[in-house]
């Protein structure tokens, strides 16, 4: 079965790993990529995203520019992690393409409303891998897009330790209000949500040797870029392997059985001196009496990934970025809308 997907990214070394997987896997139909400020400023994110899609051989994929800054916070990038250009300073030839003239929120609306016209298996899986600013704006402005959505699988949050702070994971930390709004809207709209957080994020890993094999394929293709992204991370922290990061959330769409998830009540901490932006996952025994708790139980729940088969996901990623991997069939822009109208008229 082919899964229609849209990625929302802040490319980002590991977003780039995710884009390579989503652009090249034959079981995914990548309908658009939307960009938001996060790891780098949004214009840099757009440039990085276009560059990765070119390297992946997918210049057909629509890319749109979204929010520059969080809803309330000042933007605070993570170039200390991702390099000055946000993508490992690889000196990679830059794309000459431009983003779609529409705002990311309008592209998301258009893609999802088009999906809503089609059959049930045409519904899109939305995969946010970045601060949730665009998605919060989308779901509050155009809640009717829920009809075109199958599920939301987002990278963000943590049951255990954070990374941006001791408590909070970067994507949620960067725009906590947006994350809280998205979870609230998903509960309102009855949309299934999977949280692929830091508890699993670091486990699918690729070694330096595997990265070098990819780099040796050369030709500025997807495998070489994939290898360079991993090598950059190994170099930065002085390790022999590096995570595929956000790409793991795409793996969770492709191979859902590779993660163990539990449906758990979830909140985003919006106050707190040292804990703002933390995802509070309620792992208490829900069978016990919680009536003494003045905060009660969150009305929002998500399928929280607690364990991952890291080797299986790393293998899936490696097999897909290899130069001889089978590419997805691409669809001419606008074809789906025409087909849906034809079908409705029949
Ligand atoms: C997340 O934050 C970003 O740095 C990564 O791209 C990933 O989405 C991990 O906290
Ligand atoms: Ca990211």
């Amino acid at each position: 079965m082919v899964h229609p997907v849209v990625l929302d990214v802040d490319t980002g070394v590991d977003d780039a790993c995710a884009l390579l997987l989503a652009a090249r896997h034959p079981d995914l139909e990548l309908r658009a990529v939307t960009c938001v400020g996060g790891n780098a400023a949004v214009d840099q994110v757009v440039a990085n995203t276009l560059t990765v899609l070119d390297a992946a051989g997918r210049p057909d994929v629509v890319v749109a520019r979204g929010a520059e800054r969080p809803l309330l916070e000042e933007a605070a990038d993570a170039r200390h992690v991702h390099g000055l250009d946000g993508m490992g300073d690889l000196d990679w030839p830059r794309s000459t393409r431009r983003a779609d003239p529409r705002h990311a929120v309008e592209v998301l609306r258009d893609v999802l409303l088009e999906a809503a016209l089609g059959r049930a298996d045409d519904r899109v899986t939305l995969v946010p891998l970045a601060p949730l600013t665009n998605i919060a704006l989308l779901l509050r402005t155009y809640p009717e897009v829920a009809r075109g959505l199958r599920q939301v699988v987002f990278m963000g949050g943590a049951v255990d330790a954070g990374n941006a702070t001791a408590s909070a994971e970067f994507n949620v930390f960067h725009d906590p209000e947006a994350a809280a709004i998205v979870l609230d809207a998903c509960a309102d709209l009855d949309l299934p949500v999977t949280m692929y957080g830091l508890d699993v994020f670091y486990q699918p890993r690729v070694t330096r040797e595997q990265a070098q094999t990819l780099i040796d394929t050369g030709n500025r293709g997807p495998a070489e870029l994939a290898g360079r992204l991993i090598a950059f991370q190994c170099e930065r922290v002085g390790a022999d392997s590096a995570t595929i990061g956000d790409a793991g959330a795409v793996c969770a769409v492709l191979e859902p059985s590779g993660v163990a998830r539990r449906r758990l009540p979830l909140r985003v901490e919006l106050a707190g001196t040292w804990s703002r932006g933390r995802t509070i996952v309620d792992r208490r025994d829900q069978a016990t009496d919680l009536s003494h708790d003045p905060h009660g139980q969150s009305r929002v729940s998500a399928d929280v990934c607690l364990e991952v088969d890291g080797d299986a996901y790393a293998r899936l990623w490696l097999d897909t970025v290899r130069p001889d991997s089978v590419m997805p069939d691409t669809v001419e822009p606008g074809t789906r809308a025409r087909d849906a109208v034809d079908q409705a008229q029949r």
Side-chain angles (χ1 to χ4, degrees):
M1 177 178 157
V2 175
H3 305 272
V5 292
V6 171
L7 267 52
D8 186 76
V9 295
D10 61 337
T11 319
V13 172
D14 57 317
D15 303 75
C17 292
L19 285 164
L20 289 171
L21 175 60
R24 299 212 28 112
H25 199 288
D27 293 348
L28 295 179
E29 189 186 317
L30 182 58
R31 294 207 177 158
V33 179
T34 51
C35 299
V36 66
N39 288 325
V42 69
D43 287 325
Q44 184 72 62
V45 170
V46 170
N48 293 348
T49 301
L50 291 166
T51 296
V52 176
L53 289 171
D54 282 4
R58 294 298 307 275
D60 57 298
V61 177
V62 167
V63 173
R65 179 186 192 276
E68 278 172 30
R69 51 159 293 173
L71 297 178
L72 207 53
E73 292 283 350
E74 293 294 318
D77 66 45
R79 286 182 300 164
H80 57 290
V81 176
H82 295 264
L84 288 180
D85 71 355
M87 210 176 74
D89 300 324
L90 301 180
D91 197 21
W92 194 267
R94 287 283 158 182
S95 175
T96 52
R97 286 198 300 135
R98 288 189 175 279
D100 192 278
R102 291 167 293 174
H103 190 277
V105 172
E106 311 305 326
V107 166
L108 287 163
R109 178 203 56 192
D110 293 350
V111 168
L112 296 175
L113 290 182
E114 186 183 340
L117 293 173
R119 297 185 315 266
D121 58 7
D122 213 31
R123 303 284 187 272
V124 171
T125 294
L126 180 59
V127 189
L129 303 172
L132 288 146
T133 323
N134 287 339
I135 313 305
L137 294 168
L138 171 78
L139 294 179
R140 286 300 196 230
T141 314
Y142 303 115
E144 63 274 23
V145 298
R147 294 199 308 272
L149 274 170
R150 174 186 305 280
Q151 59 174 344
V152 176
V153 178
F154 79 99
M155 190 286 133
V159 179
D160 195 358
N163 57 358
T165 69
S167 207
E169 179 281 330
F170 177 80
N171 290 340
V172 180
F173 168 80
H174 196 255
D175 196 342
E177 280 72 22
I181 288 170
V182 167
L183 292 173
D184 187 71
C186 287
D188 276 351
L189 299 168
D190 210 15
L191 282 170
V193 182
T194 293
M195 173 174 134
Y196 185 91
L198 291 181
D199 313 285
V200 286
F201 177 87
Y202 293 108
Q203 288 170 48
R205 301 186 76 79
V206 171
T207 65
R208 259 183 209 266
E209 286 73 30
Q210 289 168 323
Q212 192 56 51
T213 307
L214 294 173
I215 292 169
D216 290 344
T217 60
N219 292 325
R220 297 290 190 188
E224 183 185 349
L225 178 57
R228 291 200 182 282
L229 293 164
I230 296 293
F232 166 79
Q233 296 188 78
C234 291
E235 213 47 56
R236 189 178 69 80
V237 294
D240 288 334
S241 66
T243 176
I244 61 170
D246 290 342
V250 179
C251 294
V253 177
L254 280 162
E255 284 185 11
S257 61
V259 277
R261 14 184 150 198
R262 242 181 93 193
R263 193 158 187 74
L264 291 166
L266 176 63
R267 282 192 172 103
V268 177
E269 176 60 274
L270 295 177
T273 306
W274 310 112
S275 56
R276 181 165 150 78
R278 180 175 185 81
T279 45
I280 298 176
V281 177
D282 193 344
R283 298 189 75 181
R284 292 175 295 181
D285 178 359
Q286 302 298 328
T288 59
D289 177 16
L290 299 179
S291 58
H292 62 282
D293 172 359
H295 309 291
Q297 189 182 305
S298 172
R299 75 180 193 97
V300 178
S301 288
D303 292 322
V304 178
C305 297
L306 298 172
E307 284 170 48
V308 62
D309 184 343
D311 290 344
Y313 280 8
R315 219 169 24 246
L316 171 62
W317 185 77
L318 282 166
D319 286 347
T320 309
V321 299
R322 275 197 342 247
D324 54 346
S325 64
V326 181
M327 286 279 287
D329 293 332
T330 55
V331 181
E332 281 266 309
T335 316
R336 232 175 338 262
R338 281 197 300 277
D339 286 353
V341 171
D342 282 356
Q343 224 174 25
Q345 283 170 350
R346 248 179 256 143

